[in-house]
Structures are given as structure tokens and as C-alpha cells.
Amino acid sequence: MKKPKIAEWTELRGLAFLAIVMQHNIAEYIYRPDIEQPDSVMLTMIYHLTRFGTPTFVFLSGVLLFYHHRHIKPDYPRFIRKRFGDIYMPFFIWTFVYWLAVRVFTPTFWTSGMPDLGSFVHELFIPQTGYHLWFVLMVFQFYILFPLFLAGAHAVRKRLDNLKRFTSKQVTLTIILVAAILYLWLMKWSYYDMADWTQSWPDPWSSMLEYRSYSWLLYWFYFLLGAVCAWTVESWRNWTLKALPCMATVFVAMYIWMGYDVLRGSENTMNLNISTYLKPTTFISIMAQMLMLYGFLVLLNGKNLWFQRLLAWIGRYSFGGYLVHALVIYAIAYVTRPLHLSGWHLPVAIISFVVTVVTALGISWTLSKLPGSRLSVGLTRSKARQVTSFSNSLAGSGRRTRNQNPPLGSASKN
């Protein structure tokens, strides 16, 4: 039997995609030398509203993997083959597209003879031109290791079922709290200590620490939280609703603190790296905001508002949109970088964000209708037709229940 489709997961994914696109547009404008302080401060404030994007994709990857396999042991060779086709092949193709796109606009590319294919191989391990594609490499590690995670989840679940002194909810909450403390400690090491370790440790350890953000080890807590959500969907929904006021309060407090932290640590140019994912205070802010948004979407469940339908549509095509959006930003920057935008960086960044979202999702939607769509955007044409058909019937009926929300597609499309 097909499992019920959970509406808020698709909508949350749409929000996460929008947040990431906004982050990358802000990064394009905030470091320009002609930016004025009011624009710089406002862009920093907007930036701190978007930090939940990437960790939320990790959370949703864990949610969907455990939700669809919690009672079914996956056939590992088939499981990896499918994920390789849905995730890694689009990554490979778009890595080549970014590598080639950057070079064809370089005069030496046409005069140097054979292109440097070694640099392309390097991009497959440490993406630079497609700077956002590191996330696909990182999240793919969770799929490779998923059978181990699933076995561990089943072992924990078996122990919870045999508990007598404590309830399973109490033990689950304890596990989450202990894991959060351990993860906070890991973030402390990452932000405050590991930079020094890279200077003192020999290779290959120093190189591994330098690129630590490419490793699943730095994001495992979000994946763990996704497993908890997948195994206890209704309890998770009820808890996020009850915790909504608390999470909103924590997020507002951390949002103010993060803004102050960046202002205090920056000089002439805002240093957004102060708010990196791998920092304890950023982690607390992300968790509060993500749980707040989840509770908010649960609160709206079944209302079928226009922006819910829009977020759901964005969520369905978000993987392709994610893959292509940096290329759109490159194209916009080709026009805007020669311009003098003093006093206009904020509005231009917002306009660029809108253009990027519309163009990237339009390209993703178009590619999903063409042959080879699985290799380009990780979505087969049959699935795309189902999505369109469902969307049309949904718009006509004006009704939606939790079980009627269309499928999200592959769990890894981030």
C-alpha cells in the first residue's frame, strides 16, 4: 500500500529552496565595493532569515528515506543504483555544465588547445564553479550509509518497544536532547578549534578538516531529527504545534543575537561567514526557525491557501531549480557587475532573487518534460505528468487533505 503523502514536507521544501536562492543572491551583492551601509545591513538581516535552508534539506532527506523504508528493508544494490541515477548523474552533468560555462567565456579556453580535464575531475570532488553542488555530494553520503542508519534506527525502536519504566516518548526526547548537546559540542569544535587544527595537523587530516563542510558528519543531527519525524509523524505534528510559541521566541532572540554578532565582527564589509552553519549559535537559530516553520505549516494544514499550493509546486521542482539556479545568478551577474549600484543593492538583490527563482524553476519544469529528464533534473516525465495533472485537479477542486498531497519524488532532491 502507498503511504499517505505529507503535505507540509513538500511545502517546507519549497521554503528551503527559496531561502537558499536568496542566500546566494545576497552573497552576489553584499561584498561589492560600492555597497552602502544601509543596504549592507538590510541584506545581512534578510540573510539571517534564510539560514535554515540547507539544513532543512538534510532534515527532509532523512524524513523521506526513513518514512518510505521504516518497515521495508531496502535492496541495497537497487537502492544505490536508483539514487545514483536520480542524484549523482544530475550532479555529474551539471558539474560539467558549470565547468564548461565558466571556461567558454575565458579567451584562453579557445586558444589553449585541449581543455584541462583535470580541473573537471577536481570539480567532481570539490565543486568550485558550481559552488552550490557540494551539497549534493554531502547528502549522497547519507544514501550510501543509509542501511547502517536504518539498522541503528530499528535497534533503537526495538528497545523502545520493550521499555517498562519509561515511555518511548520520554526516551526519544532524551535521545534528541543528548544528541543535540553532542552536536553543539561538535559545532563548537568546528567553529572555534578546527581552523587551528588545519594549520598544525599533517595531510591528509588537515585537508579533510579544511573541507569538513563536505562531510555528512557535520550535518548528522538534522538527519537524525528527520528519522524521528518520519517514525512519529502525528506526534511530531502535535509537538511542533505546542512548541510553536517557544520556537518563535527562541528564533527571534537568536536572530537579534546573530545580527549583533555579525555587526560586531565586521568592519567595512559585512562578514557573513560569522553566521556559518557550523557554529553553535547558528545551529540553535536554525533549529528554532525550522521547527517554527514546520509548526506553522501544520497549523495551516488543509486550508489549501494559494501560497501553500505555490510552495508545494516549488517543492516538487526544487531539485532541478537548485541545480540550475547558480547558473542563472551567473548570467544576471554578467549584466549587473559592470553597473554602479550604489544605493540600489537591496532592491537589485531582491529583483535578482525573483528572476532567479522564476527562471530556475521554469528551466526545471521544462527539462522535466523532455527526454532524459531523470539525468537532468532527477525527475522522470511520467512523474512530471502526474504532478501537472494533480496540480490542475487540485486547483479546480479547491480542496486538499493530508493524504491527497502529491508525492515529493526522490528523497535526495536537494
Side-chain angles (χ1 to χ4, degrees):
M1 294 180 63
K2 289 186 176 181
K3 293 181 173 62
K5 306 303 184 291
I6 310 301
E8 64 267 17
W9 293 348
T10 324
E11 296 161 1
L12 186 61
R13 186 170 167 174
L15 283 172
F17 169 76
L18 295 176
I20 290 173
V21 175
M22 177 57 85
Q23 283 181 42
H24 293 160
N25 272 280
I26 288 173
E28 173 61 36
Y29 293 94
I30 198 168
Y31 293 118
R32 296 191 180 186
D34 61 337
I35 190 170
E36 295 182 358
Q37 188 180 33
D39 285 342
S40 187
V41 172
M42 285 300 300
L43 288 175
T44 301
M45 293 173 66
I46 298 173
Y47 182 78
H48 284 151
L49 292 174
T50 66
R51 300 307 286 148
F52 73 96
T54 298
T56 298
F57 273 139
V58 181
F59 166 77
L60 290 173
S61 295
V63 165
L64 291 174
L65 275 175
F66 282 100
Y67 185 67
H68 290 293
H69 295 95
R70 56 182 177 173
H71 300 309
I72 304 172
K73 184 179 180 180
D75 178 358
Y76 188 68
R78 182 181 178 185
F79 174 84
I80 289 298
R81 251 192 334 267
K82 185 179 187 308
R83 268 60 194 184
F84 187 85
D86 289 344
I87 305 159
Y88 191 83
M89 286 309 299
F91 161 80
F92 181 91
I93 289 172
W94 282 101
T95 297
F96 179 76
V97 169
Y98 281 96
W99 175 82
L100 186 62
V102 169
R103 280 158 179 77
V104 294
F105 290 101
T106 305
T108 56
F109 176 82
W110 303 100
T111 59
S112 60
M114 187 70 178
D116 180 16
L117 295 179
S119 62
F120 171 66
V121 175
H122 184 268
E123 293 280 331
L124 294 174
F125 295 93
I126 305 176
Q128 298 295 320
T129 52
Y131 53 83
H132 61 304
L133 296 177
W134 69 270
F135 178 81
V136 183
L137 283 180
M138 185 275 293
V139 83
F140 194 69
Q141 297 169 48
F142 283 107
Y143 295 95
I144 295 175
L145 299 173
F146 179 66
L148 296 178
F149 298 138
L150 185 62
H154 279 301
V156 172
R157 188 67 186 177
K158 186 176 180 180
R159 288 182 175 272
L160 291 177
D161 291 338
N162 296 328
L163 288 175
K164 295 180 180 179
R165 186 174 180 181
F166 302 100
T167 66
S168 60
K169 287 184 178 180
Q170 290 173 331
V171 176
T172 301
L173 182 59
T174 302
I175 291 174
I176 294 174
L177 290 175
V178 171
I181 293 171
L182 293 175
Y183 190 75
L184 274 170
W185 195 263
L186 177 62
M187 293 299 97
K188 183 265 179 187
W189 278 353
S190 173
Y191 189 80
Y192 294 103
D193 302 322
M194 288 186 183
D196 294 331
W197 297 351
T198 58
Q199 303 297 324
S200 58
W201 288 17
D203 278 330
W205 306 111
S206 61
S207 297
M208 292 173 64
L209 288 174
E210 183 180 357
Y211 294 102
R212 58 190 178 276
S213 62
Y214 288 54
S215 172
W216 69 272
L217 289 169
L218 275 299
Y219 302 90
W220 63 266
F221 180 79
Y222 302 105
F223 197 76
L224 168 67
L225 213 61
V228 175
C229 174
W231 233 288
T232 60
V233 176
E234 288 304 320
S235 297
W236 180 272
R237 281 171 164 166
N238 294 332
W239 180 79
T240 54
L241 280 176
K242 293 177 182 178
L244 184 55
C246 178
M247 293 298 107
T249 302
V250 173
F251 171 67
V252 169
M254 295 307 302
Y255 176 76
I256 295 172
W257 173 258
M258 288 171 65
Y260 171 71
D261 209 20
V262 170
L263 290 172
R264 183 180 57 179
S266 302
E267 295 180 357
N268 295 329
T269 304
M270 292 295 174
N271 184 7
L272 298 183
N273 288 327
I274 294 175
S275 299
T276 176
Y277 296 126
L278 310 180
K279 186 179 182 181
T281 52
T282 307
F283 165 65
I284 296 172
S285 176
I286 289 171
M287 286 306 308
Q289 186 179 14
M290 187 176 72
L291 295 173
M292 177 187 71
L293 291 173
Y294 197 107
F296 179 70
L297 292 174
V298 171
L299 191 65
L300 295 177
N301 214 333
K303 296 187 182 298
N304 194 35
L305 301 175
W306 68 269
F307 69 86
Q308 290 177 278
R309 297 195 296 273
L310 178 61
L311 287 176
W313 187 87
I314 292 172
R316 293 182 200 109
Y317 294 101
S318 61
F319 183 49
Y322 179 85
L323 292 171
V324 74
H325 82 275
L327 197 63
V328 180
I329 294 176
Y330 278 143
I332 296 172
Y334 185 78
V335 176
T336 61
R337 284 184 182 179
L339 302 177
H340 182 74
L341 298 174
S342 182
W344 288 91
H345 287 84
L346 175 62
V348 172
I350 294 174
I351 293 171
S352 297
F353 162 73
V354 174
V355 173
T356 303
V357 168
V358 173
T359 306
L361 290 174
I363 293 173
S364 178
W365 179 84
T366 302
L367 290 176
S368 71
K369 309 297 181 184
L370 300 177
S373 57
R374 185 188 178 203
L375 298 178
S376 60
V377 293
L379 187 66
T380 61
R381 285 193 290 169
S382 61
K383 288 183 179 180
R385 285 195 294 268
Q386 292 172 9
V387 166
T388 303
S389 175
F390 190 95
S391 299
N392 292 337
S393 64
L394 184 63
S397 66
R399 296 189 301 272
R400 182 184 68 178
T401 64
R402 292 174 182 171
N403 294 353
Q404 290 174 321
N405 187 52
L408 290 170
S410 171
S412 60
K413 296 169 186 173
N414 297 298

